[in-house]
Amino acid sequence: LPQLLESSDGRVIFVSSGGGRANMARMTEEQRTKLLDDELTWEDIGRLSEQFTKEYEEAARAAIDDEGKAKKDAKQLPFLSPSGLWLQSYGFSKACIGSYCGIIARQNPSLLSMTCSPGFIATDMSSTYAKYDELKTVDEGGGVIAWMASEDKDKLQSGVFYQPDRKAVGWVAELN
């Protein structure tokens, strides 16, 4: 970060996912407000992540029997926890990335701090997806990231989430 701050064109680009925006939409307003708070700190994200991890692990343990098989009557992940967190780990981690992007943007106004989704990419992680052959290639997914790294600084916004189509959107998805 110190070297970026010395630059006249310092940029921090977080590669995320629409899963973070969807997770924000599914958690309660109280928890969402914490992650969107202008006074949020890295330590706050750490505490919220510890709470998430505790609740997630408890839910995962409660959903399996002693033989490691799913209990028929247990609530299966993901679901809304008693504290109001949406217990889906991938999406929650991406929601935290977005919040950290906002912290960097607020604390370092000379930098561009941006988050993006490359889109749904064909990788080992998505290989079991039914429409795998229709997903973007890694090179195609890199397009928005390359654009963020090279576009004229005055044409970009700091502290925002960019979609694969290069449009800045809010941190909370509109779910149908």
Side-chain angles (χ1 to χ4, degrees):
L1 200 57
Q3 291 173 324
L4 290 173
L5 289 167
E6 292 173 9
S7 170
S8 63
D9 193 18
R11 298 170 193 223
V12 179
I13 300 170
F14 295 93
V15 180
S16 187
S17 160
R21 297 178 65 241
N23 194 286
M24 289 282 252
R26 287 183 171 101
M27 66 179 65
T28 63
E29 185 174 346
E30 177 186 356
Q31 294 293 15
R32 185 172 42 253
T33 299
K34 290 177 186 177
L35 282 172
L36 296 173
D37 191 319
D38 285 342
E39 301 299 318
L40 184 75
T41 66
W42 175 243
E43 292 75 21
D44 295 331
I45 292 174
R47 282 189 289 278
L48 200 55
S49 295
E50 287 172 7
Q51 178 182 358
F52 175 91
T53 301
K54 179 179 181 277
E55 292 181 10
Y56 186 92
E57 289 177 352
E58 287 174 1
R61 279 192 297 277
I64 57 171
D65 63 22
D66 292 337
E67 296 173 7
K69 295 183 180 174
K71 292 180 183 175
K72 289 183 171 75
D73 60 340
K75 201 172 194 178
Q76 298 298 312
L77 292 165
F79 61 83
L80 192 65
S81 76
S83 75
L85 293 170
W86 181 250
L87 296 181
Q88 198 274 335
S89 56
Y90 180 82
F92 182 76
S93 71
K94 300 305 185 181
C96 290
I97 286 174
S99 294
Y100 188 54
C101 170
I103 291 170
I104 297 292
R106 285 190 304 278
Q107 291 179 350
N108 304 283
S110 66
L111 291 179
L112 278 174
S113 176
M114 307 165 285
T115 301
C116 70
S117 170
F120 206 171
I121 308 300
T123 64
D124 289 346
M125 191 168 113
S126 60
S127 63
T128 60
Y129 181 66
K131 297 181 181 181
Y132 181 79
D133 294 338
E134 298 174 21
L135 303 182
K136 289 181 176 186
T137 67
V138 172
D139 287 343
E140 290 169 330
V144 68
I145 302 159
W147 170 75
M148 292 166 71
S150 61
E151 179 63 80
D152 184 311
K153 187 176 183 176
D154 296 330
K155 294 181 181 177
L156 297 169
Q157 297 172 270
S158 193
V160 301
F161 184 95
Y162 282 100
Q163 296 277 49
D165 64 4
R166 302 177 182 179
K167 291 186 175 135
V169 294
W171 292 108
V172 183
E174 293 179 24
L175 302 176
N176 297 332

